[in-house]
C-alpha cells in the first residue's frame, strides 16, 4: 500500500487505479481492514477518482455488513440446533 499512497501523492491517476486494483485483486472485500479500505479509497479520491472511491467504499461497507449478518445468522442457527 505504500506504492499506492506514493502514486496518489504524486497525482499519478492511472498508476493509483492500477495499484488499487492489484491490492484488491486477491482479497475478498469483507476481509479488508478498516485501515486498508481507507487507504485504498482515499488514494482514489486523492487523484480525482471521487466516484470510483465512493463506489469502492460503498461496496466494502456492504460486504462487511452482509458478511457480519450471515455470520450472525449462522451462529444463531448453530445455537438453536444445540
Amino acid at each position: 500500500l505504500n506504492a499506492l499512497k506514493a502514486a496518489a501523492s504524486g497525482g499519478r491517476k492511472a498508476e493509483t487505479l492500477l495499484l488499487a486494483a492489484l491490492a484488491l485483486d486477491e482479497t475478498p472485500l469483507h476481509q479488508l481492514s478498516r485501515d486498508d479500505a481507507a487507504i485504498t479509497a482515499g488514494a482514489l479520491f486523492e487523484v480525482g477518482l471521487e466516484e470510483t472511491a465512493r463506489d469502492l467504499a460503498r461496496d466494502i461497507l456492504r460486504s462487511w455488513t452482509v458478511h457480519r449478518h450471515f455470520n450472525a445468522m449462522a451462529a444463531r442457527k448453530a445455537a438453536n440446533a444445540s
Side-chain angles (χ1 to χ4, degrees):
L1 291 176
N2 288 331
L4 174 63
K5 290 191 279 187
S9 294
R12 299 184 303 272
K13 191 181 282 192
E15 184 179 350
T16 300
L17 184 59
L18 176 64
L19 290 171
L22 289 172
L24 298 173
D25 184 45
E26 297 291 324
T27 306
L29 292 180
H30 71 273
Q31 290 181 356
L32 280 178
S33 71
R34 277 182 257 162
D35 290 340
D36 290 350
I39 289 168
T40 305
L44 295 171
F45 195 87
E46 186 176 344
V47 294
L49 298 170
E50 291 95 351
E51 187 174 340
T52 302
R54 284 188 192 100
D55 289 344
L56 175 62
R58 229 178 271 122
D59 287 346
I60 292 168
L61 289 171
R62 284 182 185 137
S63 179
W64 286 340
T65 302
V66 168
H67 183 73
R68 234 180 251 135
H69 172 74
F70 283 108
N71 278 345
M73 282 181 51
R76 280 193 299 271
K77 187 175 182 180
N80 289 337
S82 37

